[in-house]
Amino acid sequence: QKDSSDSEVENEAKGKLESKKPAWVDEDDEAEENVDMTHRYRKDFMKSDAEKILTKKKLKRRLEEQFQRAMGGVPAWADLENRKKSKRTASDSDSDEEDDLLCRTGNYITNSESLPRGILKLKTCLPANQERFADGRLATVQFHPAAQVVMTAGHDRSVSLFQVDGIRNPRIQSIYLESFPIYKARFSVDGEQVIATGTHHRMFFVYDMMSGNIIPMEKVRGVDERFLKDFELSPDGSFMLVTGTSGYLHLLSMKTKELISTMKVNGRCTASAFTSDSNKIFSYTKEGEVFIWDVRSRKCLHKFEDEGSLEGKCIAVSKNNQYVACGSASGVVNLYTTDVCLKENRPKPVKAIMNLVTSATCVTFNPTTEILAVASRETDEAVKLVHIPSYTVFSNFPVFRRKQIYLAQTMDFSPRSGFFSVGNNKGKALLFRYVH
């Protein structure tokens, strides 16, 4: 296997291939097929009105020209002659190393190497909901777990889905829930449903995307709450955890939406988060304590005090279960390692993030646990991205002296961490693309 990929053999094989005739000729390829250039995806390539119809060959040439103009000439990888030369000049040892790399599979990027600290290379795209801004503030922006889709929902009683391409972000559909301002909406883990709770309602809605049905869940038996607002879905897709009043936490079955069990914390619960294996729940109280629950037995495994917290606001657990972030009313976000939280009553945070001056209202980790996003909805531009391995804040976000974010209500990272979106009080889901 190694020998066949040596550079000389490869060049020789290429030479042979180029001199060979094609194995067969497809008549359809030879036929001069005309392409309608007035289509919205192609009309940018028209040079004049006379070009309403072009042949496939001409369109291919036009696309090549366009690409070369964008790249500033033919890139090195597309120039066959150039590639051959560089292959010949490369030393044998280099090609051996290359071959060795190609003979094995595995992860060649470690976490610390893939994302450097200091400056984050970000590109600002058009807002994700460019084709339909929400009226008023956005309550939720969330990326679909499997497809390149983003959902926005807000107080204007609508849930909208957009395809994320970073260029146009076309709208897929919107649903309108009459007299139901949305407090929170979430995709189910399989991505087939959207769960939406209201700001002043006991009921909630389940939108089945496969059938297009909107199913109202009038009342959950055993859940005696005036309003159902805040909730979390377990990463394994089995449970829905509803935050009640007076410290009650209601665990519902995701399949039947029926009550499984109720837990209670001392004081009032302000936020909860499942661990990525769905075995534990971290519940943060208004009094600054965190209760850790075992999902199977619904027993409290441990509780600890969040250092210096006067009032708990938001909590997040990283995807790799390594970190817990607790945001309080003072604006301080304490970052803990999970194992310390499970053992000690007063754990020391590995880092206290002091960059927010108003109440921390939203914390979220990116899927690779390299970035922690912290935000406050009480001041404009109060979003900070923290580089996890070094616990330092990226200095170039948000952009200095250019108001863009306003009041950040909600944040999310795409499943493969390529996009970051911030929903603001002006109904926009701002979209940023990582260039790393």
Side-chain angles (χ1 to χ4, degrees), residues 118-122 384-385 393-400 436:
I119 302 285
L120 187 61
K121 289 181 191 158
L122 271 180
K384 291 288 175 191
L385 298 175
V393 168
F394 290 106
S395 58
N396 63 322
F397 188 86
V399 179
F400 184 54
H436 289 279

Side-chain angles (χ1 to χ4, degrees), residues 114-390:
S114 57
L115 189 69
R117 58 185 277 182
I119 302 285
L120 187 61
K121 289 181 191 158
L122 271 180
K123 198 171 121 234
T124 306
C125 306
L126 275 177
N129 61 346
Q130 175 70 25
E131 294 198 354
R132 190 195 178 280
F133 290 143
D135 188 14
R137 74 184 183 88
L138 270 186
T140 291
V141 58
Q142 194 198 2
F143 288 92
H144 190 279
Q148 267 200 307
V149 170
V150 76
M151 167 183 60
T152 62
H155 288 199
D156 66 350
R157 305 164 179 79
S158 67
V159 175
S160 298
L161 302 173
F162 302 88
Q163 190 180 338
V164 183
D165 57 9
I167 304 156
R168 277 186 55 247
N169 306 324
R171 180 164 67 127
I172 300 166
Q173 68 181 133
S174 295
I175 59 163
Y176 184 76
L177 303 173
E178 200 155 333
S179 63
F180 195 81
I182 295 162
Y183 179 83
K184 186 174 187 174
R186 282 284 177 267
F187 282 117
S188 61
V189 177
D190 58 13
E192 292 179 8
Q193 295 180 338
V194 171
I195 317 282
T197 56
T199 50
H200 291 89
H201 291 79
R202 181 184 283 191
M203 64 181 291
F204 62 94
F205 281 97
V206 177
Y207 170 46
D208 190 321
M209 290 191 283
M210 296 294 143
S211 64
N213 294 337
I214 300 167
I215 308 148
M217 294 287 170
E218 292 293 347
K219 188 178 184 322
V220 181
R221 230 169 86 190
V223 178
D224 193 23
E225 296 288 347
R226 197 156 154 236
F227 305 133
L228 289 190
K229 296 201 315 190
D230 201 13
F231 68 96
E232 294 298 327
L233 302 180
S234 67
D236 66 356
S238 306
F239 306 107
M240 175 177 173
L241 182 76
V242 176
T243 306
T245 47
S246 314
Y248 284 104
L249 293 162
H250 307 286
L251 194 67
L252 274 54
S253 160
M254 196 58 196
K255 207 173 195 174
T256 61
K257 312 291 186 292
E258 289 174 345
L259 181 69
I260 295 169
S261 180
T262 295
M263 300 164 282
K264 189 184 186 309
V265 300
N266 300 342
R268 267 176 57 200
C269 184
T270 50
S272 293
F274 280 92
T275 53
S276 60
D277 56 11
S278 303
N279 289 339
K280 296 183 190 72
I281 297 166
F282 282 71
S283 299
Y284 197 20
T285 69
K286 200 169 192 262
E287 292 70 29
E289 288 185 318
V290 179
F291 289 76
I292 304 169
W293 302 91
D294 177 51
V295 174
R296 297 279 172 271
S297 65
R298 267 82 70 186
K299 286 194 170 78
C300 182
L301 299 172
H302 188 63
K303 78 166 188 180
F304 68 90
E305 283 177 34
D306 180 25
E307 191 182 73
S309 172
L310 299 174
E311 187 185 335
K313 283 284 186 184
C314 50
I315 191 165
V317 181
S318 67
K319 285 271 192 305
N320 65 359
N321 269 354
Q322 197 180 341
Y323 294 104
V324 179
C326 302
S328 64
S330 60
V332 177
V333 177
N334 283 330
L335 188 63
Y336 299 94
T337 51
T338 315
D339 47 5
V340 172
C341 294
L342 284 161
K343 288 181 203 136
E344 295 177 26
N345 294 332
R346 287 193 174 142
K348 283 293 265 182
V350 286
K351 179 72 181 175
I353 299 145
M354 308 255 189
N355 296 74
L356 300 177
V357 291
T358 52
S359 183
T361 52
C362 188
V363 289
T364 181
F365 288 92
N366 83 326
T368 57
T369 316
E370 291 172 311
I371 301 171
L372 168 66
V374 300
S376 171
R377 68 166 68 109
E378 292 171 17
T379 322
D380 285 341
E381 309 301 297
V383 177
K384 291 288 175 191
L385 298 175
V386 184
H387 180 247
I388 294 275
S390 67

Side-chain angles (χ1 to χ4, degrees), residues 36 49 83 96 196 201 234 297 312 356 383 403 432:
D36 175 19
D49 285 348
R83 280 177 75 181
D96 281 352
H201 291 79
S234 67
S297 65
L356 300 177
V383 177
K403 256 197 175 187
F432 303 95

Side-chain angles (χ1 to χ4, degrees), residues 2-42:
K2 252 190 173 181
D3 299 342
S4 66
S5 61
D6 267 4
S7 52
E8 287 156 283
V9 179
E10 202 174 40
N11 285 336
E12 217 171 272
K14 268 195 184 158
K16 277 181 194 164
L17 276 174
E18 277 159 21
S19 61
K20 278 184 180 177
K21 283 182 180 172
W24 77 90
V25 176
D26 195 333
E27 287 162 20
D28 289 351
D29 286 350
E30 298 301 308
E32 278 292 300
E33 197 179 314
N34 292 331
V35 181
D36 175 19
M37 294 300 287
T38 55
H39 188 278
R40 62 189 174 128
Y41 290 151
R42 290 188 283 269

